[in-house]
Amino acid sequence: MTNALIIGGGIAGAVTAMALQKAGIDAEVFEAYETGADDVGAFLVVFANGMAALRVIGAHGPVVANSFPAERVEFYSGTGKRLGERPLARSADATDVGPRTLTRATLYRVLHDEARRRGIAVRHGKRLVAAETVSDRRVVASFGDGSHAEGDLLIGADGIHSVVRKLIDPAAPRPRYTGQNTVCGYTRDVKPPSAPDTYTMIYGRRAFFGATAAPDGEVWWFANVPGPERSRQDLAAVTADQWRHRVVALLDGDRTPAADVVRATGEHIVASHAYDLAATPRWFSDTMVIIGDAAHAAAPNAAQGASMAIEDAVVLAKCLRDRPEPRRAFGAYEELRRARVERVVAQSALMARRSAPGTLRRLVRDVMLPRSVERGGGGADAWLTDYRVEW
Ligand SMILES: Cc1cc2nc3c(=O)[nH]c(=O)nc-3n(C[C@H](O)[C@H](O)[C@H](O)COP(=O)(O)OP(=O)(O)OC[C@H]3O[C@@H](n4cnc5c(N)ncnc54)[C@H](O)[C@@H]3O)c2cc1C
């Protein structure tokens, strides 16, 4: 039986392991962190396309059970002007699961629990430092703790700062810092700005803000805040108090509830850098391949990174099922995925530019967005969310 080494126990890693099992391929997951992953404080949406890919491997149930629906989005200008509303749950198939909101930590936990329940080994504390193809087309992975693992192929699901990407192509481009921090917070001490299952998106004069409410009334919010790229340590050293002050300072003066939501938030504030990675020239070698954020990463604006990682995982497993020679399977996977994921990265970058502050942008947006929403634009597109992986 083919044996796959999966590097990274994030979203792509856990889903790939389950999809490979369905394809009759044995897999082990190696995760750098002792528990979960870093930056688990943010929340995200898994759209209908991501949920449908999870459904292919029968893993959608636990995600649904630990999340809440994201049915629609309302847009406001920083002046308080309502720009429109549109549904997020766009799907031609009534049996589909619509978009779901949950924290990244919950998504990791649920997918890991489900993988373990299926008998898949997830090894923590295993940070890949090197890998090489040995003579008989086997691959040996070396970890920071001095241990090794050998398999027929290695799948780099090791995220935006992927080591596997560099092993496949030492000249691979670095992720681009978009110049934005995404700050997320959670508070029960304020009235939710929107109805349940609804996202309120505000094009503030100095920062873009979004919020939704969990079923228990807790408000989950994020703000895209311009700032310099810092080291991991420097970013972690910024306190909740400092982020609150920074975000409130940017939102104060807008005629919206955003600043009050942030002001009402206590310690539960986290921030991360927003990166993207438009085109990675080489996705695979004879024995190694990259998926998810390791291969392509979109700025968070389109909110499709997790869904793309899930789709990648299922498509790759299907290609490996149908083509026993890894290199051919990797080529087929790239052919099926590259155009779609690069389009998502481009779309997300465009959304990031459109949501950036600026008087001219605001004037154009206040006129154009209501028209675009009327025509069905202003959010997720059918080409994105109607996509289905055929198993
Ligand atoms: C603030 C924010 C909001 C977002 N919102 C959304 C959203 O609403 N919807 C959406 O779909 N996406 C969203 N995303 C993007 C989404 O989180 C990513 O696209 C997704 O997590 C990618 O999954 P992945 O498995 O490829 O990478 P990751 O989830 O980053 O997982 C990579 C894993 O590999 C491990 N790892 C790294 N290096 C090594 C190594 N050398 N050895 C072993 N293990 C290693 C890491 O610890 C981690 O567990 C958001 C991202 C951010 C930052």
Side-chain angles (χ1 to χ4, degrees):
M1 192 192 231
T2 304
N3 164 244
L5 311 177
I6 299 174
I7 307 303
I11 297 158
V15 176
T16 305
M18 290 187 272
L20 286 176
Q21 188 184 57
K22 184 175 167 80
I25 296 168
D26 212 22
E28 257 178 291
V29 180
F30 298 90
E31 165 57 42
Y33 284 86
E34 292 294 343
T35 55
D38 68 336
D39 175 40
V40 288
F43 59 94
L44 49 75
V45 177
V46 181
F47 276 87
N49 50 306
M51 293 305 299
L54 282 175
R55 192 181 189 151
V56 170
I57 57 163
H60 58 300
V63 175
V64 171
N66 287 280
S67 60
F68 56 90
E71 300 289 350
R72 68 192 72 77
V73 56
E74 299 172 339
F75 300 99
Y76 291 88
S77 172
T79 58
K81 180 182 172 190
R82 191 173 195 278
L83 302 175
E85 172 185 326
R86 57 152 299 163
L88 283 172
R90 177 198 280 261
S91 169
D93 182 347
T95 64
D96 268 356
V97 180
R100 309 290 302 186
T101 300
L102 72 174
T103 65
R104 213 157 97 139
T106 303
L107 184 56
Y108 275 47
R109 176 178 54 75
V110 161
L111 294 174
H112 274 218
D113 288 352
E114 184 60 18
R116 283 220 175 80
R117 197 184 64 75
R118 297 178 186 202
I120 293 162
V122 182
R123 309 206 185 286
H124 284 274
K126 297 286 177 190
R127 180 174 292 279
L128 183 88
V129 289
E132 60 173 334
T133 304
V134 288
S135 55
D136 53 353
R137 287 278 163 95
R138 300 265 295 164
V139 59
V140 175
S142 303
F143 300 100
D145 63 359
S147 63
H148 305 276
E150 191 174 326
D152 297 305
L153 56 107
L154 181 147
I155 297 168
D158 52 343
I160 185 83
H161 302 294
S162 171
V163 170
V164 181
R165 182 169 65 231
K166 284 273 176 208
L167 290 172
I168 291 172
D169 178 8
R174 275 172 48 81
R176 179 185 70 105
Y177 175 52
T178 62
Q180 299 278 323
N181 291 134
T182 303
V183 185
C184 287
Y186 305 81
T187 176
R188 293 178 194 282
D189 296 330
V190 73
K191 187 171 162 284
S194 56
D197 312 344
T198 300
Y199 272 81
T200 298
M201 300 291 200
I202 299 172
Y203 294 92
R205 269 180 290 191
R206 286 181 291 168
F208 184 75
F209 175 88
T212 190
D216 65 1
E218 187 173 52
V219 175
W220 298 15
W221 61 263
F222 70 89
N224 294 340
V225 170
E229 186 177 16
R230 304 169 214 235
S231 70
R232 187 186 295 256
Q233 290 82 352
D234 287 353
L235 189 67
V238 183
T239 63
D241 213 28
Q242 289 168 322
W243 281 122
R244 191 184 318 101
H245 277 101
R246 168 97 179 108
V247 178
V248 166
L250 291 169
L251 297 173
D252 246 350
D254 283 347
R255 288 199 291 273
T256 76
D260 286 342
V261 171
V262 179
R263 221 179 260 114
T265 307
E267 283 305 296
H268 212 159
I269 301 181
V270 288
S272 56
H273 291 121
Y275 292 97
D276 68 8
L277 184 59
T280 304
R282 289 188 62 203
W283 282 15
F284 63 90
S285 65
D286 284 344
T287 54
M288 295 189 246
V289 65
I290 42 178
I291 66 169
D293 275 12
H296 49 81
N301 303 65
Q304 274 282 346
S307 296
M308 288 300 125
I310 295 166
E311 288 180 7
D312 276 1
V314 179
V315 172
L316 176 62
K318 184 187 161 194
C319 292
L320 284 162
R321 177 197 69 185
D322 296 342
R323 294 167 188 79
E325 215 271 299
R327 203 179 168 97
R328 288 194 53 218
F330 298 162
Y333 149 77
E334 179 176 348
E335 210 174 304
L336 287 168
R337 298 296 299 160
R338 187 180 275 279
R340 175 167 169 79
V341 298
E342 290 184 354
R343 191 174 172 192
V344 173
V345 178
Q347 163 122 345
S348 222
L350 181 68
M351 289 169 78
R353 283 197 297 280
R354 284 190 179 152
S355 67
T359 309
L360 185 59
R361 256 193 217 102
R362 177 166 56 81
L363 292 173
V364 172
R365 194 169 47 226
D366 285 6
V367 174
M368 298 309 290
L369 190 67
R371 292 185 193 167
S372 151
V373 166
E374 258 172 44
R375 291 195 307 268
D381 291 309
W383 68 267
L384 253 175
T385 56
D386 284 355
Y387 176 91
R388 296 295 176 267
V389 178
E390 296 293 327
W391 183 258

